Amino acid sequence: MTESATLISVAATSLTVVAYILALWAYRRSGWGLLLPVLTGAATVVVVLVLTNTPYGTYREGASLLSWLAGPATVALAFPLYRQWSRLRGIWWPVAGALLAGSATAVVSAIVIAWLLGGDWALMMSLAPKSATMPVAMPVAERMGGAAPLTAVAVALTGIAAAVLASGLFSLLGVRSEMVRGFALGAAAHAIGTARAFQIGETAMGSAALAMGLNAIATSVLVPLIAGLL
């Protein structure tokens, strides 16, 4: 790595970490759901990039280490899943039904909405895997002709929206079970939803980790299948 590339990597990584720390501090101080650290931290990075006229490609390449760490972080979610395994293994049929319904709905709705709004094939395939975790969604979108950067944005916005709106929606629907709340968050909103489930409780965290992992597998299978039918 050249000296210039090293400086870019240090700057991009430092910017991301500092932005997140500040966003987390603001969230904890205010307790306001709309100040979700993922949302405000990302917005801070975007503002800095715009003000400094830094291309996104340069920032993305510099922050590649953090992108790589998303993989091990996702795998680490197996720990809370293991701790809840004795409870979860007895409900496989309801889990399978909920997973299939949720994953298929997420893929089909994204494709249909993009099509109704006049989107082309690349846009539809970029949005189709939006509910899967990013390390899975981006390669799936690229393989089907989508754009990975657009998929990354869609994945982030999906997770942020779910994390912000979940509590109100659960209350409106009368959903009180930690396991159900966690599974819904993990299936619909991947890692961000799983992080939100951690705030609910350990049971919710375990079921969210299960849902996120299974939905990643389901999405990687369903997107090519559904796309092949179009």
Side-chain angles (χ1 to χ4, degrees):
M1 182 181 293
T2 65
E3 183 177 350
S4 176
T6 301
L7 290 175
I8 292 174
S9 178
V10 171
T13 302
S14 299
L15 170 62
T16 306
V17 172
V18 170
Y20 181 78
I21 291 174
L22 292 175
L24 182 61
W25 175 82
Y27 176 74
R28 288 175 173 173
R29 289 277 295 181
S30 66
W32 193 29
L34 290 178
L35 289 181
L36 193 70
V38 175
L39 174 60
T40 51
T44 301
V45 171
V46 170
V47 169
V48 173
L49 294 182
V50 171
L51 291 178
T52 58
N53 198 29
T54 302
Y56 172 73
T58 301
Y59 164 77
R60 181 182 177 185
E61 183 178 350
S64 59
L65 174 61
L66 296 178
S67 299
W68 178 84
L69 287 174
T74 301
V75 174
L77 291 172
F79 178 68
L81 171 60
Y82 172 76
R83 295 189 62 175
Q84 295 296 322
W85 185 248
S86 59
R87 179 180 297 183
L88 293 170
R89 65 183 178 183
I91 55 172
W92 272 108
W93 285 112
V95 165
L99 173 70
L100 180 60
S103 184
T105 299
V107 174
V108 172
S109 63
I111 293 175
V112 170
I113 292 172
W115 176 72
L116 290 174
L117 294 177
D120 58 11
W121 178 263
L123 178 61
M124 289 188 287
M125 292 302 101
S126 298
L127 299 180
K130 62 178 177 55
S131 290
T133 183
M134 200 170 295
V136 172
M138 293 175 68
V140 167
E142 283 187 318
R143 188 170 67 248
M144 299 307 300
L150 181 56
T151 301
V153 173
V155 170
L157 291 178
T158 298
I160 291 168
V164 171
L165 301 175
S167 295
L169 185 60
F170 288 146
S171 298
L172 180 65
L173 297 176
V175 178
R176 295 182 175 83
S177 168
E178 279 196 21
M179 184 173 294
V180 174
R181 287 189 173 204
F183 193 89
L185 283 167
H190 44 81
I192 299 176
T194 302
R196 178 67 181 85
F198 179 78
Q199 298 175 330
I200 298 175
E202 187 173 345
T203 299
M205 180 70 170
S207 59
L210 172 67
M212 185 183 72
L214 293 178
N215 188 50
I217 298 172
T219 299
S220 65
V221 174
L222 287 175
V223 170
L225 287 178
I226 293 172
L229 297 175
L230 299 179

